[in-house]
Amino acid sequence: MAEVKKLGTAKLTYEGNTIELPIFEGSEHEKAVDIRALRKETGMITYDPGFVNTGCCQSEITYIDGEEGILRYRGYDINDLADNCEFIDVAYLLIHGALPNKDQRDEFSRDLNHHSMLHEDMRHFFDAYPDHAHPMATLSAMAVSLSTFYPELEDASIQENIDFKVTRLLSKLRTAAAFSYKKSIGHPIVYPKHTLKYCENFLNMMFWTPVNDYQVDPVLTKALNKLLILHADHEQNCSASVVKMVGSAGANLYASISAGICALWGPLHGGANQHVIEMLQRIIVEDKGNVKAVIERAKDKNDPFRIMGVGHRVYKSYDPRAKVAKQMCKDVVARMGTSDALLDLAQELEEAVLADDYFVSRGLYPNIDFYTGLTYRAMGIPTDMFTVMFAIGRIPGWIAQWLEMREDPHGRIGRPRQIYTGPNLRAMN
Ligand code: ACO
């Protein structure tokens, strides 16, 4: 890993003492104060709920400039990747650091097909869940269950046969995701096919039935490739941090990713795509489509309501992924030859957000989840599968982040501290 540039020092003065802390600069000129020696030298810790100001690692994978709305994977702009690549190219890029050449791509694609089956005993796991089980719960359980059937990812020597290991994970989790959907609607599962590519295979496993010989639509395949690329990584976000925190204890990749899936499920994170649709449906039914009233509720500090799909910890301008997703959503709706009252409402809500000083002054813009759920809906994917789609897209990012963490010469077990405010020593009566 390339070393950061050292720029000089920052002085910290406290209780009559002064210490100097090194300043680092990353390759895009973001500066950081190195506080690793802080507690040893001063006895103090830092206080930063939500890690808003805390850099936990050096990373070469993803760059975000939240003020300018820039997102790059391994130096490539998200728009270029979404326009010119398939999802598996981007997965390869994130994991290996470079886009694949033709031979590497063919081999990766072959391996993904080769590993697409689930052990037949795992198929029976799906029968044990109730029909209404949320597919994110099932997916997380399947991720950790893979470790019992394919224990090679528990090896300490993770870099050995790494392609074999990660293709297994990428391919089998996609199959598990489709199985969980079939189970939830009571349909027979559809096995993966070697003749289909990664995204086509997923669509076929979702929509083929014994009574309907589903033909994969190339427009939907293209849209799915783009959506998964948009989801593929987002540096030290909540779920990636969870994956790395679990991995920092030495836990295997399956266990780490299973935990990441649970983190992604939360409505403030990837779960927002499902909650956007549910919010829009409520606005139509309960608020009779009154967007003004919804905006006022979101601004009311006594009301916990927030507009789902709006706001982001890092982006203080329009999320570049949301721009791509919005256009794609319109294209897919047009392709399906339908209209969607929820899309019309979403656009009206977006306009109201962009015109309101409450949102503008706080840098609150539509994020990736605002339009991706609507796109999945137009593709025929049910609402409670939206976050599963996000998870399938995010797997290469989690893998890349986990691998980088394991190779990091500065890496240590993740273990934040606290400021204790409870009672002092009390005597027992
Ligand atoms: N609606 C109304 N007000 C909002 C919203 C929103 N969606 N988001 C933030 N705000 C307000 C907050 O009330 C706060 O106002 P204040 O300064 O007057 O107190 C201010 O904007 C800053 O918000 P924070 O909660 O401090 O921002 P934070 O960075 O901690 O949270 C988050 C970011 C969780 C994404 C937040 O914007 C949110 O809850 N959005 C809705 C859920 C969502 O869409 N999540 C998906 C994010 S993308 C992803 O994870 C894949």
Side-chain angles (χ1 to χ4, degrees):
M1 181 181 288
E3 272 300 306
V4 285
K5 197 165 147 193
K6 297 190 174 72
L7 285 187
T9 56
K11 286 193 174 66
L12 174 69
T13 303
Y14 67 103
E15 295 168 353
N17 304 308
T18 299
I19 63 158
E20 293 198 21
L21 298 164
I23 299 177
F24 290 164
E25 188 184 54
S27 56
E28 290 289 344
H29 310 296
E30 199 168 36
K31 296 186 181 64
V33 179
D34 174 6
I35 58 155
R36 279 176 294 179
L38 183 69
R39 187 165 183 278
K40 205 165 159 202
E41 292 199 17
T42 68
M44 293 192 291
I45 60 168
T46 56
Y47 178 59
D48 187 21
F51 311 120
V52 179
N53 305 286
T54 300
C56 64
C57 63
Q58 298 169 30
S59 179
E60 297 181 343
I61 302 170
T62 290
Y63 172 67
I64 303 174
D65 182 330
E67 274 68 35
E68 298 297 326
I70 293 170
L71 170 62
R72 296 180 200 143
Y73 301 157
R74 303 279 190 188
Y76 295 104
D77 187 83
I78 189 66
N79 294 291
D80 287 342
L81 292 169
D83 283 345
N84 299 306
C85 294
E86 289 191 3
F87 172 62
I88 66 161
D89 302 317
V90 172
Y92 190 98
L93 169 72
L94 286 166
I95 293 165
H96 292 279
L99 286 165
N101 61 31
K102 188 178 175 312
D103 289 346
Q104 289 165 331
R105 187 178 203 281
D106 289 348
E107 193 182 341
F108 191 45
S109 187
R110 248 193 333 269
D111 287 349
L112 285 166
N113 267 335
H114 183 70
H115 295 302
S116 57
M117 295 274 284
L118 282 186
H119 193 290
E120 204 53 15
D121 287 345
M122 273 192 83
R123 195 168 60 80
H124 301 304
F125 291 0
F126 292 89
D127 298 334
Y129 288 98
D131 285 344
H132 57 267
H134 196 289
M136 282 298 272
T138 318
L139 190 69
S140 174
M142 291 304 151
V144 77
S145 302
L146 284 171
S147 65
T148 62
F149 288 89
Y150 309 99
E152 64 281 343
L153 281 191
E154 294 178 17
D155 291 357
S157 54
I158 183 68
Q159 289 296 353
E160 268 173 39
N161 297 323
I162 188 67
D163 289 343
F164 164 70
K165 293 168 182 172
V166 303
T167 43
R168 264 202 161 163
L169 196 54
L170 275 165
S171 196
K172 289 189 192 307
L173 276 181
R174 174 209 49 185
T175 303
F179 282 12
S180 69
Y181 167 62
K182 286 297 197 188
K183 162 70 190 163
S184 74
I185 56 168
H187 282 189
I189 57 140
V190 178
Y191 288 105
K193 275 178 157 177
H194 277 194
T195 48
L196 296 176
K197 294 187 344 186
Y198 192 87
C199 286
E200 291 169 334
N201 227 331
F202 178 77
L203 291 169
N204 192 61
M205 285 190 276
M206 288 282 290
F207 297 122
W208 191 92
T209 70
V211 293
N212 158 27
D213 190 14
Y214 175 76
Q215 297 297 317
V216 183
D217 181 336
V219 173
L220 297 192
T221 307
K222 201 168 168 206
L224 182 57
N225 268 294
K226 260 194 189 194
L227 285 161
L228 298 187
I229 290 171
L230 298 182
H231 290 315
D233 192 49
H234 217 232
E235 47 115 314
Q236 311 309 316
N237 58 85
C238 177
S239 56
S241 299
V242 166
V243 168
K244 290 172 69 170
M245 179 70 96
V246 174
S248 78
N252 66 56
L253 183 54
Y254 297 113
S256 306
I257 286 192
S258 170
I261 292 169
C262 291
L264 187 75
W265 192 5
L268 297 187
H269 192 15
N273 57 12
Q274 171 173 346
H275 287 263
V276 168
I277 300 296
E278 290 166 356
M279 171 190 74
L280 293 171
Q281 285 166 334
R282 272 197 309 273
I283 294 174
I284 288 184
V285 175
E286 291 170 21
D287 301 299
K288 310 285 174 246
N290 185 347
V291 164
K292 203 161 173 281
V294 174
I295 293 281
E296 291 312 313
R297 271 192 72 197
K299 288 158 58 172
D300 181 355
K301 290 291 162 205
N302 298 316
D303 190 329
F305 172 75
R306 283 186 168 196
I307 299 184
M308 300 313 286
V310 166
H312 196 275
R313 169 62 59 77
V314 182
Y315 293 119
K316 300 303 167 200
S317 59
Y318 210 103
D319 182 337
R321 303 167 301 174
K323 271 189 201 156
V324 180
K326 182 178 179 182
Q327 186 53 50
M328 206 177 10
C329 184
K330 290 181 183 175
D331 294 347
V332 172
V333 169
R335 167 71 189 187
M336 301 311 277
T338 52
S339 62
D340 187 347
L342 295 192
L343 174 58
D344 299 338
L345 177 62
Q347 292 185 90
E348 195 188 333
L349 189 56
E350 179 191 340
E351 270 175 38
V353 163
L354 297 182
D356 193 303
D357 188 56
Y358 170 93
F359 296 94
V360 176
S361 64
R362 288 169 176 75
L364 301 170
Y365 293 86
N367 60 50
I368 182 164
D369 291 322
F370 198 72
Y371 284 107
T372 48
L374 286 160
T375 318
Y376 289 130
R377 178 178 149 94
M379 292 167 78
I381 292 171
T383 312
D384 65 359
M385 277 294 285
F386 293 173
T387 316
V388 170
M389 305 305 296
F390 194 149
I392 296 172
R394 187 53 62 85
I395 293 166
W398 287 331
I399 293 173
Q401 297 285 348
W402 190 93
L403 289 170
E404 189 179 66
M405 181 264 314
R406 289 284 286 249
E407 294 290 295
D408 185 348
H410 308 291
R412 303 173 76 176
I413 186 167
R415 204 305 183 186
R417 288 190 173 256
Q418 63 167 10
I419 300 170
Y420 176 68
T421 57
N424 298 118
L425 181 63
R426 292 196 273 186
M428 300 286 289
N429 290 325

